[in-house]
Amino acid sequence: CLAIKNGSLWAWGRNLSYQLGDGTFFQRNVPTLIGSDTNWAVVSAGGMHSMGLKKDGTLWAWGSNASGQLGDGTNINRTVPTQIGTATNWKIISAGNAHNMAIKTDGSLWAWGQGSSGRLGLGSSTHQSSPVQVGALTDWQTVSTSYASCLATKTDGSLWAWGEADEGQTGLGLLTGTSSPAQVGSAVTWSEVTSGSYHSAGIQT
């Protein structure tokens, strides 16, 4: 688990892949302060890795990196929070099992990590070890990742999905996945979505 308290980062639970970010692989049974930085704004816990945004818009990641899910261009595990690139305009992050999605302040959508089942939305199943923009549109509003699929909304209130669909989790009415974002229905009243391992949920206005 991850949490932010007055800008400080706290973590607890299993730590075999360094996903807590305290520099060790020891399990923590109570919330444990990670470092001394008090500039954390957002955190997201993945399967065996973690991501965070600081107040200055920078992106950080740590833990397992077998599929390039940390986004630093390598497959090297990181034991403490490590800055990813130099961009300072990250706004929304969502960590999946071994992949990530994010939105920048300009509304562009980005993906990296494990690409199987088309979960990155890039039209292929190729792994990506650095953030890659999904298409060229800049009207993305929210995004949520799960084990192998993703949901997102656009500023016009439309709902989009991609990735694995063998349990119907994309909502597209299919049990076969899609490797590129596809609109779910025609409603433009979606305000919030969230993805579980094999199911999804959302709120309409």
Side-chain angles (χ1 to χ4, degrees), residues 65 68 70-76 78 82-85 112 129-131:
N65 199 21
L70 299 189
D72 64 354
T74 77
N75 292 106
I76 300 171
R78 303 296 179 182
T82 301
Q83 186 173 353
I84 307 304
W112 62 98
S129 61
S130 298

Side-chain angles (χ1 to χ4, degrees), residues 49 51 59 65 67-73 84 90 92-96 98-104 106-137 140 143-146 148-152 162-163 178-181:
H49 72 287
M51 285 199 303
L59 174 66
N65 199 21
S67 298
Q69 62 262 49
L70 299 189
D72 64 354
I84 307 304
W90 295 101
I92 295 171
I93 54 173
S94 182
H99 72 293
N100 306 295
M101 303 299 302
I103 297 174
K104 289 186 174 182
D106 64 1
S108 59
L109 179 65
W110 297 74
W112 62 98
Q114 189 177 85
S116 56
S117 301
R119 69 191 72 184
L120 298 182
L122 296 170
S124 74
S125 295
T126 304
H127 297 356
Q128 300 290 341
S129 61
S130 298
V132 177
Q133 187 172 354
V134 180
L137 299 178
W140 296 99
V143 66
S144 178
T145 65
S146 68
S149 62
C150 297
L151 288 178
W162 59 96
T178 176
S179 61
S180 298

